[in-house]
Amino acid sequence: MVRIADWLTYADIEQLKQLTRFYGCQTNNQHSKNDLICALLQQFGKKNQLSSQISTLSQAEQRFLQLLVFDQSPAYTFEELLAKGRAALDGTDGEPRSLVVGALKRGWLFPGYSHRTQYLYHLPSDLGKQMCDIFLEPYLQPHFRLMSKPSFYRDEQGQMLDDLRLFLDILGKEDIRLTVDGSIYKQQQKYILQKMAIEEKPITAKGPRFGFGRRYHQYPDRFSFLYDYAFYQGYIIEDREGYLRLNVEKSGKINKQEEAGKEMVKFFIRLYRKPIPHFPIILRWISSLCHPGWMMTEVVFQAVDPWLAPYYYETKESLFDKVVRMLVHLGVLREGVDGEVHYLSLTPMGAKWLRGITAFREKVIEDQFLKLG
């Protein structure tokens, strides 16, 4: 975690002069690196000035900055910064490069100082923390929070994994035949779903059904995710004879609960990246607002609303509801009601699982996953 004071020390004197000119800092000696650093530290040390600067940024510049400060990556290549610039513009007019250059001119990004890091760019840790606080501040008003437990709440920690093991156990003991379209027969679906900790009912309504995954159109929300996860991990096999089989070799290697839970969350992020391209930063917003204590669901939606976009028949609101519902099923969030107000709270396991994986750089695999079917 390298702070702004250290980055200024590593910077060459020409870069320091450029920063003092940009901010209009007064120094006794423009040729003294120490004087330049002291003047700049006074500038960067004033949170109210930083807040004022951020408020004058364009929408694209603010979005670019959020993509930086809500990320947990220690460094970025220039290509990764350009990708963030494109995401910040989100199809509007503008040049991604100008967003990166603007952050460099303000001293919000610094190039590496060693041979190993010279092609990487870094956001000073203390500066990033201040910026994050500035973005969060409007949503952290005391009347938006409930510090005590709500009168009613749901906590499903560990239940998704328990039901995965239950499902695999059933497959190991019974023959599960598939229909022509590849789904489990309704009667056996009903039998499986009734045994689960969170009971669902088979889909009976006719007409189109919208969601994400290979079998979403055939199974209720939670079970379709559980089924798709088991299929992707190779725990289950849809054989050519029309049966759903247990892959004993793979299913016997399910990790311990904490690791398996984190793998499920990773799979969830990958699966939802296609319909919700800005999913990682949405999760960072949710985790930042919902810990500690309980945050009003409506306020959380207001915070992530700018990063959501309708997807076919899904509205911003329905996409948000789907995300929250699945995060509750995964044990990442608790959902509560107090009076008529709905609240969300990050679980202890959810805080661990989201740390470091919401901005992961793995290739998005949903297209590859769909081909498996």
Side-chain angles (χ1 to χ4, degrees):
M1 303 290 283
V2 185
R3 299 166 64 86
I4 183 67
D6 298 312
W7 282 113
L8 292 175
T9 303
Y10 299 140
D12 61 48
I13 195 165
E14 291 305 318
Q15 185 180 5
L16 296 176
K17 287 180 180 179
Q18 185 273 322
L19 287 172
T20 56
R21 288 194 296 269
F22 182 86
Y23 287 112
C25 299
Q26 300 299 317
T27 61
N28 294 325
N29 184 356
Q30 274 284 312
H31 301 290
S32 167
K33 190 171 181 178
N34 184 63
D35 283 4
L36 292 169
I37 290 173
C38 289
L40 287 168
L41 285 176
Q42 289 184 6
Q43 167 68 32
F44 285 116
K46 299 174 182 177
K47 187 177 178 180
N48 60 333
Q49 287 192 13
L50 181 61
S51 181
S52 178
Q53 288 176 49
I54 291 175
S55 67
T56 62
L57 297 177
S58 68
Q59 183 181 28
E61 289 172 325
Q62 289 201 18
R63 286 168 65 90
F64 178 70
L65 199 54
Q66 285 185 40
L67 287 166
L68 288 176
V69 303
F70 283 106
D71 199 335
Q72 297 179 333
S73 301
Y76 310 95
T77 65
F78 196 76
E79 289 72 23
E80 287 171 333
L81 292 174
L82 289 178
K84 288 184 182 294
R86 287 189 290 272
L89 291 166
D90 202 24
T92 61
D93 292 335
E95 175 54 49
R97 191 183 190 89
S98 67
L99 298 176
V100 181
V101 171
L104 287 165
K105 284 183 177 179
R106 292 181 172 90
W108 294 348
L109 282 174
F110 287 83
Y113 54 87
S114 68
H115 178 73
R116 186 170 57 87
T117 64
Q118 62 180 323
Y119 298 113
L120 297 175
Y121 295 83
H122 307 74
L123 173 71
S125 57
D126 52 346
L127 193 61
K129 176 64 168 60
Q130 284 188 50
M131 292 174 172
C132 191
D133 290 343
I134 289 168
F135 282 122
L136 291 172
E137 192 172 8
Y139 305 100
L140 297 180
Q141 304 305 313
H143 57 282
F144 293 156
R145 284 193 171 279
L146 185 69
M147 296 312 295
S148 59
K149 290 182 179 179
S151 53
F152 168 80
Y153 68 92
R154 292 171 55 200
D155 186 342
E156 298 184 19
Q157 289 183 88
Q159 293 181 334
M160 180 74 89
L161 186 58
D162 288 345
D163 281 345
L164 172 62
R165 289 188 174 120
L166 173 69
F167 175 47
L168 298 180
D169 186 58
I170 292 173
L171 277 182
K173 295 176 180 177
E174 302 190 23
D175 290 332
I176 304 295
R177 189 162 178 78
L178 302 175
T179 63
V180 175
D181 64 359
S183 65
I184 300 171
Y185 278 93
K186 285 289 193 297
Q187 196 61 32
Q188 286 189 306
Q189 277 190 51
K190 186 176 180 181
Y191 168 75
I192 294 169
L193 294 173
Q194 284 178 340
K195 287 186 169 292
M196 297 204 160
I198 306 301
E199 187 176 337
E200 296 177 294
K201 295 182 179 179
I203 298 169
T204 56
K206 296 181 179 180
R209 175 172 160 76
F210 301 97
F212 318 120
R214 292 178 65 253
R215 298 297 183 188
Y216 187 88
H217 59 294
Q218 296 167 325
Y219 302 127
D221 297 5
R222 184 176 181 270
F223 182 70
S224 72
F225 174 84
L226 189 151
Y227 184 100
D228 285 346
Y229 176 76
F231 183 84
Y232 178 75
Q233 293 289 352
Y235 299 155
I236 59 177
I237 300 169
E238 297 165 352
D239 71 19
R240 295 181 180 179
E241 287 72 41
Y243 284 92
L244 186 64
R245 304 289 189 189
L246 176 69
N247 186 338
V248 179
E249 183 180 350
K250 286 286 185 72
S251 63
K253 297 180 180 179
I254 297 178
N255 296 328
K256 61 183 181 180
Q257 183 158 329
E258 184 173 338
E259 293 175 355
K262 187 172 183 177
E263 286 304 310
M264 281 188 171
V265 173
K266 283 185 177 182
F267 180 75
F268 170 61
I269 295 171
R270 294 164 180 162
L271 195 59
Y272 275 52
R273 278 293 290 269
K274 185 176 182 179
I276 310 175
H278 303 305
F279 199 33
I281 191 171
I282 289 171
L283 288 179
R284 287 306 302 159
W285 266 104
I286 291 173
S287 63
S288 298
L289 290 173
C290 298
H291 182 76
W294 294 81
M295 173 64 71
M296 290 173 60
T297 305
E298 180 183 356
V299 174
V300 179
F301 174 72
Q302 290 172 4
V304 303
D305 175 80
W307 294 101
L308 287 166
Y311 182 77
Y312 292 100
Y313 291 88
E314 298 285 357
T315 64
K316 288 185 176 185
E317 290 80 5
S318 66
L319 283 172
F320 178 72
D321 288 343
K322 284 180 182 294
V323 168
V324 167
R325 192 160 57 243
M326 191 54 65
L327 287 173
V328 172
H329 288 326
L330 287 166
V332 173
L333 287 178
R334 299 186 185 100
E335 187 175 30
V337 180
D338 197 80
E340 296 183 355
V341 182
H342 290 255
Y343 293 90
L344 296 172
S345 176
L346 195 67
T347 67
M349 293 310 299
K352 289 183 179 181
W353 292 338
L354 291 184
R355 189 176 299 127
I357 69 170
T358 54
F360 63 90
R361 297 171 180 175
E362 298 174 47
K363 178 176 171 55
V364 180
I365 62 163
E366 61 271 355
D367 289 336
Q368 174 189 348
F369 173 58
L370 292 172
K371 289 177 183 177
L372 293 176

